[in-house]
C-alpha cells in the first residue's frame, strides 16, 4: 500500500473510543475537514491511497460500528446552519453540528425538532446514521425527520438525495450506518418552536405495564424508568402545550427554574454519579443504592422549550443495550426482562428506560414498518456484566426485537437480515456507491455479511 505522507485536513493522531470506554483504539490516523470541499478532497485522497476511511460522530456509541480501520474521519469541525426555509419549516445543517447546537439555532429561527433523544451532544450525521430516537408513538426518530441529504460518495462526488431525488439512496442513507457515503449535510423537516409540559411521578409498575398500550397512545411523548427490586416506576408524560390550558403553559418563575436546575444538578445528575461510583466499589450494595436513587427522583411538573425538556444530562458513564420490539409486545417483553433483571439485580446500577416510536420508512431503521416499543438497559461502566447482556439479548430475540445500531449486541448478518425487508436493497445500494469498500471495517463486514 502506497500511503501518502499526509492527507488533506489531517491532524495529529488521536485516540478513538466508545463513550462507555469498552472499545478503544490508540493513535488513530485522523482527518478533520472544515469545509465540504476539504471533505471531498480527503475522501478521494484516502481512496487513491488504498486507505479505509470511517466516519465518526461525537462518539456516543457502545459498539464497534464507528471503529476506524486506517483513517478516522472526524466531522466535528463541519458545523453550522446552511439554510432555513420558513415557508416549509425546513433547515439544512452541516453534518458535524451537534444536536444541542442545532436545537438552539432552530429556536433562534422560531423552529424546533419534532422529537429528540434525551442526549443531545451527538452530531446530526451520527445520530441519523444509527436512527437515534426519542419517544412518542406519533413522532419519528431523527432519521424519520430527515427530508434531504447531501452525501460524499467513495468517488468523492456530491450526491443529493431525497424522496424525489435518488429515492433509494435516500432510504438507505438516512439510517446508513456510515457505509453508504459520508453525510456532508442534512435537511430536517422541522416545526414551529413549541414548549413542552413535563409531568414526572411515581406509580405502581404492575399497573403501569398492564395499561402500557393505552399510556403510550394517549400521551404526546411517554416514557418510564424502573429499577429491579422496586415496585414503583418513574413516569414522564410530555405534553405539547396546545393540549393544555393557558395556566399550564408558563415556564415558571425565575425561582422555580432555579430550583429545577438545582434538582437536576444535585438529585438527578450528581446523586446517580456518586451512587454508581459506590456501586463500583461495593456491587452487593446495588439493590439498596437503587432504592435510594429512586426515592431521590421526586415527582414534579414544569414547562420549558421543547429541547430543554426532551434532553437530560448523563454524567454517569454506562454501558447500554437497547432493543425495539413490536409495540403490542412491549408489556410481555418488559415482564420477561424484569424477571431476568430481578434475578441478576446486583449487576444493574441504573434504571432501565421504556420508550415508544412511530413507524418509519428508512430501510435500516429498527422502527421500519411498525410501531415500536423500546427497552434500554444500562449498567455502570466499571462493573457491567457481559453475561447479563447476553441473557438479555436472548430474551429480546424471543420477542422479534431489533437492536439499536449504536448500542451493545452480538448479532451478525445471519441474525439481522431476516428482521429487515430491505436488507438486500441496502447492500445493493452500498455496493453500487462503494464497490471497493472504502467505508468498511471488519466489524461492519461481520455486521452486514460482506
Amino acid at each position: 500500500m502506497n500511503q501518502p505522507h499526509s492527507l488533506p485536513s489531517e491532524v495529529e493522531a488521536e485516540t478513538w473510543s466508545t463513550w462507555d470506554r469498552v472499545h478503544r483504539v490508540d493513535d488513530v490516523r485522523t482527518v478533520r475537514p472544515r469545509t465540504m470541499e476539504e471533505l471531498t478532497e480527503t475522501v478521494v485522497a484516502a481512496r487513491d491511497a488504498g486507505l479505509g476511511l470511517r466516519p465518526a460522530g461525537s462518539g456516543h456509541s457502545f459498539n464497534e460500528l464507528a471503529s476506524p480501520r486506517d483513517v478516522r474521519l472526524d466531522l466535528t469541525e463541519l458545523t453550522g446552519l446552511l439554510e432555513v426555509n420558513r415557508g416549509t419549516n425546513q433547515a439544512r445543517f452541516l453534518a458535524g453540528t451537534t444536536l444541542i447546537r442545532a436545537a438552539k439555532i432552530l429556536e433562534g429561527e422560531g423552529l424546533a425538532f419534532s422529537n429528540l433523544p434525551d442526549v443531545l451532544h451527538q452530531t446530526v450525521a451520527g445520530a441519523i446514521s444509527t436512527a437515534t430516537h426519542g419517544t412518542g408513538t406519533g413522532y419519528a426518530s431523527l432519521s424519520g425527520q430527515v427530508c434531504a441529504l447531501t452525501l460524499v460518495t467513495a468517488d468523492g462526488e456530491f450526491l443529493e438525495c431525497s424522496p424525489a431525488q435518488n429515492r433509494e439512496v435516500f432510504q438507505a442513507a438516512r439510517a446508513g450506518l456510515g457505509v453508504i457515503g459520508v453525510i456532508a449535510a442534512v435537511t430536517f423537516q422541522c416545526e414551529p418552536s413549541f414548549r413542552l409540559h413535563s409531568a414526572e411521578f411515581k406509580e405502581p409498575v404492575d399497573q403501569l405495564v398492564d395499561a402500557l398500550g393505552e399510556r403510550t397512545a394517549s400521551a404526546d411523548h411517554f416514557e418510564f424508568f424502573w429499577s429491579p427490586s422496586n415496585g414503583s416506576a418513574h413516569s414522564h408524560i410530555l405534553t405539547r402545550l396546545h393540549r393544555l390550558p393557558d395556566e399550564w403553559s408558563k415556564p415558571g418563575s425565575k425561582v422555580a427554574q432555579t430550583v429545577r436546575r438545582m434538582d437536576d444538578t444535585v438529585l438527578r445528575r450528581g446523586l446517580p454519579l456518586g451512587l454508581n461510583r459506590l456501586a463500583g466499589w461495593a456491587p452487593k450494595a446495588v439493590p439498596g443504592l437503587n432504592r435510594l436513587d429512586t426515592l431521590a427522583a421526586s415527582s414534579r411538573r414544569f414547562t420549558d422549550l421543547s429541547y430543554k425538556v426532551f434532553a437530560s444530562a448523563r454524567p454517569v458513564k454506562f454501558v447500554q443495550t437497547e432493543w425495539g420490539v413490536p409495540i403490542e409486545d412491549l408489556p410481555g417483553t418488559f415482564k420477561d426482562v424484569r424477571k431476568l433483571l430481578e434475578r441478576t439485580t446486583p449487576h444493574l446500577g441504573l434504571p432501565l428506560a421504556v420508550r415508544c416510536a412511530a413507524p418509519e420508512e428508512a430501510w435500516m431503521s429498527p422502527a421500519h414498518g411498525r410501531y415500536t416499543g423500546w427497552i434500554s438497559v444500562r449498567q455502570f461502566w466499571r462493573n457491567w456484566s457481559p453475561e447479563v447482556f447476553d441473557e438479555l439479548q436472548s430474551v429480546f430475540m424471543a420477542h422479534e426485537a431489533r437492536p439499536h445500531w449504536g448500542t451493545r449486541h452480538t448479532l451478525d448478518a445471519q441474525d439481522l437480515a431476516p428482521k429487515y425487508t430491505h436488507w438486500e436493497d441496502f447492500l445493493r445500494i452500498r455496493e453500487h456507491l462503494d464497490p471497493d469498500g472504502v467505508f468498511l471495517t471488519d466489524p461492519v463486514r461481520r455486521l452486514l455479511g460482506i
Side-chain angles (χ1 to χ4, degrees):
M1 183 182 298
N2 182 24
Q3 295 189 17
H5 292 295
S6 64
L7 294 169
S9 66
E10 185 165 0
V11 297
E12 187 175 344
E14 297 180 348
T15 295
W16 173 88
S17 70
T18 49
W19 187 77
D20 57 15
R21 308 179 190 180
V22 173
H23 301 289
R24 176 188 175 106
V25 181
D26 293 319
D27 297 324
V28 178
R29 193 171 183 181
T30 302
V31 291
R32 189 172 294 125
R34 293 169 294 179
T35 66
M36 295 175 72
E37 290 71 23
E38 284 187 6
L39 174 58
T40 60
E41 293 171 1
T42 300
V43 171
V44 170
R47 181 209 62 192
D48 290 347
L51 298 171
L53 188 71
R54 194 72 183 125
S58 62
H60 190 82
S61 59
F62 303 87
N63 59 40
E64 294 183 285
L65 182 63
S67 177
R69 188 175 88 195
D70 298 319
V71 180
R72 171 176 171 260
L73 175 57
D74 181 349
L75 298 177
T76 55
E77 292 292 327
L78 201 66
T79 66
L81 177 69
L82 290 174
E83 59 182 316
V84 61
N85 186 327
R86 292 181 179 82
T88 60
N89 291 337
Q90 294 178 355
R92 185 169 180 247
F93 289 96
L94 287 168
T97 312
T98 61
L99 291 173
I100 184 61
R101 184 182 178 194
K104 290 178 179 180
I105 290 173
L106 287 177
E107 178 61 29
E109 299 288 344
L111 297 174
F113 290 102
S114 296
N115 200 1
L116 283 169
D118 61 354
V119 176
L120 299 183
H121 61 256
Q122 307 100 310
T123 63
V124 295
I128 70 169
S129 293
T130 54
T132 297
H133 63 89
T135 189
T137 56
Y139 302 91
S141 73
L142 285 163
S143 298
Q145 298 172 57
V146 173
C147 54
L149 289 169
T150 301
L151 295 178
V152 175
T153 68
D155 290 332
E157 301 295 327
F158 284 115
L159 184 65
E160 302 294 339
C161 54
S162 68
Q165 186 177 12
N166 297 306
R167 178 178 174 80
E168 285 197 321
V169 177
F170 177 69
Q171 296 294 16
R174 60 176 172 158
L177 312 181
V179 303
I180 302 300
V182 178
I183 297 173
V186 186
T187 303
F188 289 99
Q189 181 61 60
C190 305
E191 61 178 275
S193 177
F194 63 98
R195 286 179 290 173
L196 283 171
H197 175 268
S198 176
E200 304 176 11
F201 53 92
K202 297 177 185 177
E203 57 183 307
V205 67
D206 291 329
Q207 296 178 25
L208 170 60
V209 173
D210 288 342
L212 203 48
E214 178 184 350
R215 298 296 297 276
T216 57
S218 62
D220 290 331
H221 307 274
F222 176 80
E223 61 187 357
F224 76 85
F225 301 85
W226 171 82
S227 294
S229 305
N230 196 303
S232 298
H234 198 73
S235 300
H236 292 189
I237 301 175
L238 309 184
T239 305
R240 291 165 180 252
L241 292 185
H242 67 276
R243 296 177 61 174
L244 289 170
D246 291 342
E247 60 266 23
W248 289 54
S249 66
K250 298 177 181 179
S253 67
K254 294 295 184 182
V255 172
Q257 293 182 53
T258 300
V259 170
R260 176 163 65 88
R261 285 195 294 270
M262 292 176 63
D263 185 17
D264 287 338
T265 301
V266 177
L267 294 181
R268 299 167 197 269
R269 299 174 191 172
L271 181 62
L273 178 59
L275 292 179
N276 276 277
R277 285 177 174 169
L278 285 174
W281 298 326
K284 292 184 179 180
V286 167
L289 297 177
N290 278 343
R291 287 190 288 272
L292 179 60
D293 189 26
T294 302
L295 289 172
S298 58
S299 300
R300 64 177 183 175
R301 298 175 184 267
F302 65 91
T303 296
D304 214 326
L305 296 171
S306 58
Y307 75 89
K308 294 184 178 181
V309 180
F310 281 132
S312 57
R314 289 287 183 266
V316 180
K317 291 288 185 183
F318 54 81
V319 183
Q320 177 175 329
T321 186
E322 184 172 28
W323 298 74
V325 300
I327 199 164
E328 61 272 14
D329 201 20
L330 182 57
T333 307
F334 175 82
K335 291 175 182 178
D336 287 346
V337 169
R338 179 182 182 180
K339 290 178 184 177
L340 189 157
L341 292 179
E342 289 187 329
R343 177 169 55 82
T344 59
T345 296
H347 301 288
L348 187 73
L350 290 165
L352 66 78
V354 176
R355 299 185 174 94
C356 52
E360 299 189 4
E361 293 182 350
W363 288 347
M364 298 294 275
S365 169
H368 175 82
R370 70 188 191 189
Y371 286 96
T372 297
W374 287 100
I375 298 179
S376 172
V377 180
R378 300 168 295 158
Q379 293 183 340
F380 187 44
W381 72 280
R382 289 187 183 277
N383 60 327
W384 76 285
S385 171
E387 295 79 14
V388 171
F389 276 32
D390 289 343
E391 289 190 67
L392 284 167
Q393 178 168 292
S394 298
V395 170
F396 285 120
M397 288 291 284
H399 289 274
E400 299 183 20
R402 299 167 181 162
H404 186 300
W405 291 112
T407 68
R408 288 194 63 85
H409 65 87
T410 61
L411 304 188
D412 57 20
Q414 184 176 353
D415 305 305
L416 291 164
K419 298 178 179 292
Y420 291 89
T421 57
H422 289 281
W423 184 271
E424 294 301 326
D425 294 322
F426 181 82
L427 295 185
R428 171 174 53 82
I429 294 297
R430 191 220 65 78
E431 172 68 21
H432 174 69
L433 292 177
D434 184 18
D436 298 323
V438 174
F439 304 126
L440 296 180
T441 61
D442 288 343
V444 173
R445 287 183 182 276
R446 289 194 298 270
L447 185 73
L448 298 178
I450 299 172

